[in-house]
């Protein structure tokens, strides 16, 4: 197994937590999901982002978001699979997102196990 795969190992816990939050959107489940992300971040976990200049996605309300994937499987679920990706430390992605006024936050897994992290939630993590 190569190093790239190792940095994504454990991200399935994020996917499971997001899936549980989608089924039961409670404050407790949200807190649990944020805790899972925080643990992965502290374990030097990484996510997959599109291209070196982080791509934005616009939601129906006109807000701009960065997006990232917890696994290559999640990335491939999109209609237009991203051609150029790289791995980034979760904490570095979140730190950078907090400094960019043009975006509302970061969307994890925009195609399937989706979690929209507004900057307030990123600060909590």
């Amino acid at each position: 197994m190569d190093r790239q795969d190792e940095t994504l190992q454990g991200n399935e816990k994020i996917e499971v937590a997001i899936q549980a939050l989608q089924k039961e959107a409670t404050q407790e489940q949200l807190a649990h999901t944020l805790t899972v992300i925080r643990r992965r971040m502290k374990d030097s976990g990484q996510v997959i982002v599109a291209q070196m200049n982080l791509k934005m996605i616009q939601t129906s309300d006109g807000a701009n978001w960065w997006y990232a994937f917890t696994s290559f499987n999640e990335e491939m679920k999109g209609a237009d699979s991203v051609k150029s990706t790289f791995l980034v430390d979760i904490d570095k992605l979140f730190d950078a997102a907090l400094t960019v006024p043009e975006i509302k936050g970061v969307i994890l897994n925009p195609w399937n196990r989706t979690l929209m992290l507004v900057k307030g939630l990123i600060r909590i993590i």
Side-chain angles (χ1 to χ4, degrees):
M1 180 169 295
D2 67 5
R3 175 149 166 42
Q4 265 189 346
D5 289 340
E6 290 175 17
T7 62
L8 296 174
Q9 281 183 349
N11 283 0
E12 66 278 356
K13 295 173 187 169
I14 296 173
E15 294 170 14
V16 168
I18 292 171
Q19 189 175 28
L21 180 62
Q22 288 173 334
K23 288 180 182 169
E24 185 183 356
T26 64
Q27 289 296 316
E28 293 80 14
Q29 192 59 48
L30 175 60
H32 170 72
T33 304
L34 297 180
T35 299
V36 170
I37 295 169
R38 182 182 308 115
R39 284 186 189 137
R40 283 296 302 137
M41 187 172 73
K42 289 182 186 269
D43 287 343
S44 300
Q46 295 187 319
V47 289
I48 304 162
V49 293
Q51 301 177 344
M52 290 300 281
N53 57 345
L54 291 166
K55 291 198 117 180
M56 279 194 264
I57 186 171
Q58 192 171 66
T59 50
S60 58
D61 62 359
N64 290 314
W65 300 76
W66 282 350
Y67 60 94
F69 306 95
T70 53
S71 66
F72 290 106
N73 277 347
E74 286 297 321
E75 175 197 344
M76 299 312 282
K77 290 178 179 166
D80 58 332
S81 57
V82 183
K83 290 170 186 44
S84 174
T85 61
F86 70 104
L87 297 171
V88 65
D89 292 341
I90 296 170
D91 59 344
K92 288 183 175 58
L93 175 66
F94 288 171
D95 287 345
L98 293 174
T99 67
V100 178
E102 300 84 33
I103 64 166
K104 191 168 183 177
V106 176
I107 298 176
L108 291 180
N109 302 325
W111 323 135
N112 182 34
R113 293 194 176 142
T114 304
L115 179 62
M116 298 173 83
L117 295 168
V118 295
K119 290 180 180 177
L121 292 178
I122 291 172
R123 285 186 191 96
I124 290 170
I125 293 172

